[in-house]
Amino acid sequence: MSATVELTKENFDQTVTDNEFVLIDFWAEWCRPCKQFGPVYEKAAEANPDLVFGKVDTEAQPELAAAFGIQSIPTLMIVRDQVAVFAQPGALPEAALTDVIGQARKLDMDQVRQQIAEQQAQQQGGQGA
């Protein structure tokens, strides 16, 4: 049994809402780097059973890929408390993936939300001028 969850437009919102920490691998069957990243991602999923590791097949779920502006695959995204805190295209080596997960675990989400609110306030303040 796989340690990862297949994400579709039917279960995506529910998965992200119900789980505090979700990693998402955007991939496709024809993508060679995606296939190389797959075992690294599965291994990380087995090593972090408290986190949700999802996979989005961009061929089967083009709406999800479009909604997140996925331009190249594989792309790894990390969502904490329904906020995307990391998104990067390219197949990460195992050590880099472990490091990214560790950094995302350490994030102070109250601080992240405050930064987002400040950025949004700045953007809204600059539009009317």
Side-chain angles (χ1 to χ4, degrees):
M1 189 180 129
S2 173
T4 62
V5 177
E6 185 67 32
L7 295 176
T8 65
K9 62 184 183 206
E10 288 77 24
N11 72 354
F12 187 90
D13 288 342
Q14 189 76 41
T15 302
V16 171
T17 302
D18 289 353
N19 296 282
E20 180 183 316
F21 199 122
V22 182
L23 292 92
I24 305 159
D25 175 21
F26 290 88
W27 70 285
E29 189 65 40
W30 52 263
C31 166
R32 188 172 292 144
C34 297
K35 289 188 171 197
Q36 292 170 337
F37 182 60
V40 173
Y41 193 69
E42 287 282 341
K43 190 173 179 183
E46 290 167 11
N48 297 277
D50 58 318
L51 307 181
V52 174
F53 283 73
K55 293 179 76 72
V56 174
D57 180 344
T58 57
E59 293 290 303
Q61 303 296 324
E63 301 91 346
L64 283 178
F68 288 97
I70 302 302
Q71 301 288 320
S72 62
I73 52 176
T75 289
L76 176 67
M77 184 176 288
I78 299 178
V79 178
R80 276 200 56 195
D81 299 342
Q82 302 173 42
V83 176
V85 295
F86 178 86
Q88 180 178 311
L92 294 173
E94 187 176 340
L97 179 57
T98 301
D99 184 50
V100 165
I101 292 169
Q103 289 181 43
R105 281 185 186 273
K106 291 177 193 163
L107 284 175
D108 178 337
M109 289 310 294
D110 289 333
Q111 198 172 24
V112 169
R113 278 188 284 276
Q114 182 179 348
Q115 288 171 345
I116 291 169
E118 287 170 5
Q119 287 172 351
Q120 288 172 342
Q122 285 174 350
Q123 288 170 354
Q124 290 168 352
Q127 290 176 352

